[in-house]
Amino acid sequence: MKFSLLSHPDCFQLPDTTVVNVISPDGEILDTFQNRMSVEGRYGVHSLQLRALHKGRELSVEGSPYAYLYGQNLYTSNDLLAALRELLPQVLDQCVTSPADADVQRWMSGDISLARVDLYVNFPCPEGVTAKRFIRQIARQLIERGVATRTFGNTFVWSPDRGRKYEIVFYAKGPQMRAKRSLKHFPERSRLLREAENIVRVELCLQVEMLRQLGLNNASDWTQETPRKIFGKFMRKLGIVNVTAGSLSNQELVALPSDRLKPVLALHKAGYDLRQIYSPATVQRHLHAFRNLGIDLRCPNQLESEVLPLLKLLSPKRAVRGAPKWMRSNGYAPADCKV
């Protein structure tokens, strides 16, 4: 997450940081910036990055409020404004000077500019399926769409328009947390890692241009229902449906609503490229017909032993609903993050 507090010149000044001046040819100081200051969060696991900009008129804050406040971001909350209100006093304590009460009241009411917001949902892996295999299936289907993607380690990134407005990231939460050295300071690290072990996280990263387009570039624009609605909207953009696997069966042919679709399915499952057989308009018509049946023919037919039913596995009903009681009762997660 990245957000900014705005005020008058010299309102924000950070201690012990390098100052950069923008100077005109005549020697006039046109603008002033302070380099980043890192502020360690609870248990030393996560940090916030603060920077004073534009002669102290703006304080830029980057990092996860929940990770900073609770020492973990496996489980958070839908209440973005409540998290910022809890974080704000600790951020302002880092400044050399105290802002006016009117400014603080304005920020606490939600007048906070949002430059990036990250929303997520955790999905459990089905029994016998690793997070790596789960993500591999997602990548195999989405990579056929012709949209920019990136893959590294146990992470797959869907990046329309090179991520200028938004990205959707799929990654294995367990390996990501195990690799974080600072997590060794978390009081119940082993228990937390067990919670994350078979979790695939789907994270929606909204950039400032998309936030403006959605009318959500100010913290006061968000309610507790906003994250659910926005996440669902962008997941539907992916259009994830099932893919075909194994050899053609009579049962599959009988289930088709039209005889004209039978040769199309037979050719697809035999490994033929439909674009080499049908005209572009006919291919699009067939793709649309099968998509209405919950089948994506853009993805090549797979071995039956490898395919996973993503339409079912990524359904809202399977999402992890909240933090377990032991985390909430010990203050490791927000109290409203309930299962």
Side-chain angles (χ1 to χ4, degrees):
M1 185 179 197
K2 187 175 182 180
F3 63 89
S4 293
L5 306 176
L6 303 177
S7 188
H8 57 79
D10 300 320
C11 177
F12 304 110
Q13 184 180 345
L14 300 173
D16 304 320
T17 58
T18 304
V19 177
V20 178
N21 292 323
V22 179
I23 302 176
S24 72
D26 299 326
E28 179 187 2
I29 297 178
L30 303 176
D31 210 344
T32 300
F33 303 84
Q34 286 187 275
N35 285 339
R36 295 178 187 274
M37 171 183 171
S38 183
V39 183
E40 193 175 88
R42 192 176 184 187
Y43 308 125
V45 180
H46 296 269
S47 298
L48 294 177
Q49 303 300 318
L50 310 185
R51 193 179 185 199
L53 308 171
H54 308 306
K55 296 184 178 180
R57 285 191 295 265
E58 176 181 347
L59 182 65
S60 172
V61 184
E62 187 169 6
S64 167
Y66 301 102
Y68 177 85
L69 293 167
Y70 297 98
Q72 62 81 31
N73 64 352
L74 177 61
Y75 299 109
T76 59
S77 167
N78 286 334
D79 199 335
L80 180 145
L81 186 52
L84 292 177
R85 284 171 175 156
E86 188 176 353
L87 181 69
L88 195 57
Q90 299 189 43
V91 167
L92 296 177
D93 280 348
Q94 306 301 320
C95 297
V96 173
T97 56
S98 298
D101 290 343
D103 280 338
V104 176
Q105 186 175 355
R106 177 168 54 85
W107 299 325
M108 293 293 274
S109 67
D111 188 13
I112 299 172
S113 299
L114 303 176
R116 193 189 76 244
V117 174
D118 305 322
L119 308 177
Y120 79 90
V121 172
N122 293 329
F123 290 95
C125 294
E127 187 175 354
V129 175
T130 64
K132 184 176 182 180
R133 182 183 166 194
F134 197 160
I135 293 167
R136 187 170 63 237
Q137 177 74 45
I138 294 169
R140 186 175 292 164
Q141 292 185 214
L142 293 182
I143 209 166
E144 300 291 334
R145 306 290 182 81
V147 172
T149 61
R150 303 192 304 277
T151 304
F152 48 95
N154 294 311
T155 300
F156 174 75
V157 184
W158 165 268
S159 189
D161 197 19
R162 303 287 178 181
R164 185 170 61 88
K165 293 185 177 181
Y166 75 96
E167 290 183 328
I168 301 179
V169 186
F170 303 82
Y171 63 97
K173 189 61 178 175
Q176 184 250 5
M177 291 178 65
R178 286 199 306 273
K180 193 171 184 62
R181 293 182 180 179
S182 58
L183 195 63
K184 66 183 179 181
H185 301 299
F186 191 82
E188 298 196 55
R189 177 180 181 273
S190 298
R191 201 172 181 183
L192 181 64
L193 289 178
R194 286 197 298 271
E195 290 283 342
E197 188 55 39
N198 292 309
I199 292 293
V200 167
R201 171 165 285 191
V202 183
E203 198 163 290
L204 169 62
C205 306
L206 298 169
Q207 303 296 342
V208 65
E209 187 173 343
M210 179 55 71
L211 290 169
R212 288 180 182 140
Q213 186 176 318
L214 295 169
L216 295 172
N217 57 310
N218 199 282
S220 61
D221 300 323
W222 290 71
T223 68
Q224 291 192 47
E225 290 302 313
T226 305
R228 292 190 185 95
K229 291 179 180 178
I230 296 300
F231 191 90
K233 175 180 178 177
F234 280 84
M235 281 297 286
R236 287 191 291 274
K237 285 178 180 285
L238 291 177
I240 288 180
V241 292
N242 292 327
V243 298
T244 63
S247 57
L248 183 65
S249 69
N250 186 61
Q251 184 180 2
E252 289 176 307
L253 292 175
V254 171
L256 293 175
S258 171
D259 286 344
R260 69 180 178 83
L261 298 179
K262 292 180 179 179
V264 180
L265 182 61
L267 289 167
H268 174 76
K269 297 203 79 172
Y272 290 96
D273 187 344
L274 299 180
R275 294 170 297 181
Q276 303 299 319
I277 301 169
Y278 299 105
S279 69
T282 302
V283 169
Q284 288 304 313
R285 189 166 62 251
H286 289 323
L287 291 177
H288 180 72
F290 276 92
R291 176 165 287 279
N292 286 339
L293 298 174
I295 301 171
D296 190 353
L297 292 189
R298 289 175 295 184
C299 186
N301 191 56
Q302 299 180 41
L303 296 175
E304 194 163 7
S305 60
E306 293 183 353
V307 73
L308 296 173
L310 291 186
L311 190 60
K312 176 182 178 181
L313 297 181
L314 293 175
S315 68
K317 291 180 180 179
R318 293 195 71 256
V320 178
R321 296 296 176 182
K325 185 177 179 179
W326 72 265
M327 292 188 68
R328 289 182 283 113
S329 60
N330 285 296
Y332 299 143
D336 63 345
C337 186
K338 297 181 181 179
V339 178

